[in-house]
Amino acid sequence: MLATITGVRMSPWEILAVLSTAVLALVRWFPAGVRRPVALAAAAVAVVVTAILVVSGLRWQLVPVLAGTAIALPFAVVPVLRQRAGQRPRRVRWWLALPGTAAMLALISVGPLAAWALPTPVFPAPSGPYAVGTTVLEWTDPERPEPFTADPGDRRTVPVQLWYPAQAGQAKAARSFQGARTAQEARDVQNALADSFGIPRFLASDVTSARTAAVFDAPVVEDSGKFPVIVFSPGLSGVRTSNIVLAQEWASRGYVVATLDHPYDSALTSTGGKPVRSRNQDAVTGDPEKDRRAVKANVDVRAADIRFVLSQLERLDRGEVTGPAAGFLDTRRAAAVGHSRGGAAALAAAQDTRFRAVINIDGGLRDAGVRPFPQPALAITSPVSVRENADFVSDLDDVLTAGSATSYRLSIPDTGHLSFTDAALYFPPLPSLLGTVGRTEGLRVTAEATTAFLDSALRGRSGDPAEQLRAHGDLTVHE
């Protein structure tokens, strides 16, 4: 269990470690009459709490605190022990002790600061009426060669995770680890993502202990008819578990969501039981023409993956392939959705008119080669992305205006590019990454806005979705 103090999420034992160590650092300044009992009590608490934390699993954020404990303990306790032995305690002059105490408090404060900046994520509970089930499938397209291998017989294989409305009452112990079946699987994926972001692995190590609301292979709800379908593509190097909050929210509201890994693009995936890492084929080379072709090729492969997965979902509904949601998919009401590069790919996939709606979440279209499409679309943007890319809005507006259906561009205030992903739950809240919106607020608003649009486009809910969309930001309507 984690407690929250002014936004810092720490367990009660961790809080005790911080407080007892702080007392040890300050006890030299206490009145002489209480110095001895306070020092002994704080030392006892610090030793017991340290043992508990080490045995139960020490978070890296607490290492500076325990280092402070090791330094402060002898300075606080030795004078007391000397006094009990009848010896005169040696006291450092105040003008030497003061900077030492300040340095100790600074060291101790690193722990709570790290716990605030890089916390263990807690997934917000989905707000819809349904429990959420999940499962992982792997589908191979016999018609498409794998473009990133030299073997001419290698076919494109796409791992897919389904999130769907499930029967309630499933065991909490079966909930996924960060969307994975095991903590080790989640750890492997998180390590690969850390590598792709260029950050030390230990900084994101707590992420893998987070449990989602989704239960693996839970029975699907059987009394609500068929559910509309969302096919979701993550951002560049993203994985199928990069957007769990949105996937769970949509599933809880009665959608079947298929989140994709894009092999050789996603940081880490598994095809045929073998790990496949990103080849960074979209890395900037400095050659404008080569970079443009790389972006276009990446979008094209992703869009083909999205279309292929919709075809497989049609087969799943007909019972031609196995899966827990077989027979409960309404693939005639399908949406292509994505974040960042996945958002551009979703717009490109909309050339397939089987999709009845499309959503681009903060995805730039520069060099993506996206053409006009006939479906209604929603484009969500962040102020951070707009500031960083002068053509961001104009590129989106050009495509949305050229479409034949009413489309919407929604700018959500105070958000950053990662406000729409699970990274908002555990990345440092830097304005360049998350804007100034709260850790969960960007996700909440995105879920509300996208669901309002999808309910209108796929479920035919009455009323103009523009009215609901305006409640979440600055809206531009393209008719």
Side-chain angles (χ1 to χ4, degrees):
M1 178 181 294
L2 294 177
T4 299
I5 299 180
T6 61
V8 181
R9 296 177 46 79
M10 302 181 73
S11 74
W13 296 119
E14 292 171 338
I15 294 171
L16 275 177
V18 173
L19 294 178
S20 61
T21 304
V23 170
L24 289 174
L26 291 167
V27 73
R28 184 243 189 262
W29 306 98
F30 282 32
V34 299
R35 193 178 298 144
R36 176 180 170 183
V38 169
L40 292 177
V45 170
V47 169
V48 171
V49 169
T50 297
I52 291 173
L53 290 176
V54 170
V55 171
S56 63
L58 180 66
R59 291 202 297 163
W60 67 267
Q61 290 91 332
L62 267 290
V63 170
V65 176
L66 299 192
T69 303
I71 296 171
L73 196 61
F75 285 99
V77 174
V78 168
V80 173
L81 296 179
R82 290 177 62 88
Q83 187 177 14
R84 291 189 65 177
Q87 303 176 23
R88 184 178 179 180
R90 298 174 181 173
R91 292 181 59 79
V92 178
R93 294 182 181 275
W94 72 267
W95 50 272
L96 289 175
L98 185 60
T101 300
M104 281 298 306
L105 292 176
L107 176 63
I108 296 166
S109 68
V110 171
L113 181 62
W116 167 78
L118 292 158
T120 299
V122 174
F123 290 96
S127 66
Y130 297 107
V132 180
T134 190
T135 195
V136 178
L137 305 169
E138 186 176 292
W139 289 327
T140 299
D141 186 350
E143 303 300 323
R144 272 198 303 157
E146 174 53 67
F148 300 111
T149 63
D151 184 356
D154 195 4
R155 302 290 96 178
R156 180 71 171 172
T157 297
V158 183
V160 177
Q161 187 151 0
L162 296 186
W163 311 80
Y164 53 88
Q167 295 180 20
Q170 305 300 309
K172 290 185 178 181
R175 292 179 177 177
S176 74
F177 294 87
Q178 185 72 10
R181 289 186 184 273
T182 67
Q184 183 59 52
E185 180 185 347
R187 191 173 300 113
D188 291 341
V189 173
Q190 198 60 39
N191 285 340
L193 284 169
D195 293 344
S196 70
F197 279 110
I199 62 175
R201 291 181 174 185
F202 78 89
L203 291 180
S205 59
D206 289 342
V207 176
T208 58
S209 64
R211 291 292 189 107
T212 71
V215 175
F216 262 95
D217 302 322
V220 68
V221 170
E222 297 183 359
D223 59 353
S224 300
K226 291 193 171 188
F227 301 105
V229 169
I230 298 170
V231 182
F232 187 92
S233 175
L236 198 65
S237 295
V239 296
R240 64 177 187 264
T241 53
S242 291
N243 300 82
I244 294 173
V245 174
L246 292 178
Q248 289 188 149
E249 183 64 24
W250 291 325
S252 78
R253 298 193 188 196
Y255 290 87
V256 174
V257 185
T259 58
L260 278 59
D261 275 335
H262 297 286
Y264 301 98
D265 179 338
S266 295
L268 178 68
T269 188
S270 175
T271 60
K274 298 179 180 180
V276 175
R277 292 184 175 271
S278 172
R279 291 190 174 179
N280 295 317
Q281 72 278 0
D282 196 37
V284 175
T285 65
D287 182 336
E289 182 59 26
K290 186 176 181 179
D291 292 342
R292 186 196 65 78
R293 290 197 303 267
V295 172
K296 179 65 165 56
N298 180 261
V299 170
D300 288 347
V301 170
R302 282 169 165 260
D305 289 346
I306 293 171
R307 293 191 296 268
F308 167 66
V309 167
L310 179 58
S311 297
Q312 291 299 99
L313 292 173
E314 292 174 337
R315 297 185 64 210
L316 176 63
D317 186 60
R318 294 193 297 265
E320 297 173 12
V321 296
T322 59
F328 294 95
L329 306 175
D330 188 350
T331 54
R332 294 173 301 176
R333 295 184 293 167
V337 184
H339 169 254
S340 193
R341 180 58 57 77
L347 296 187
Q351 294 298 320
D352 187 334
T353 56
R354 292 178 299 169
F355 289 107
R356 288 180 52 182
V358 58
I359 299 176
N360 174 339
I361 303 175
D362 216 36
L365 302 186
R366 180 184 297 173
D367 298 328
V370 175
R371 294 176 292 159
F373 44 83
Q375 300 92 330
L378 170 64
I380 291 176
T381 64
S382 73
V384 170
S385 294
V386 172
R387 286 197 303 269
E388 292 178 349
N389 182 354
D391 299 324
F392 194 91
V393 169
S394 60
D395 289 344
L396 283 172
D397 284 347
D398 287 346
V399 170
L400 298 179
T401 301
S404 56
T406 300
S407 294
Y408 310 88
R409 178 173 54 79
L410 177 67
S411 176
I412 300 181
D414 304 323
T415 54
H417 189 60
L418 296 183
S419 297
F420 312 109
T421 75
D422 297 347
L425 303 180
Y426 55 85
F427 261 41
L430 300 175
S432 60
L433 299 175
L434 305 180
T436 56
V437 74
R439 286 190 180 276
T440 61
E441 184 63 12
L443 290 163
R444 184 193 67 80
V445 172
T446 303
E448 293 293 335
T450 54
T451 302
F453 172 76
L454 291 169
D455 283 349
S456 174
L458 300 185
R459 288 186 161 133
R461 296 283 169 86
S462 60
D464 184 357
E467 183 176 344
Q468 293 174 278
L469 293 174
R470 284 195 181 93
H472 301 298
D474 301 322
L475 184 69
T476 300
V477 180
H478 297 276
E479 296 181 316

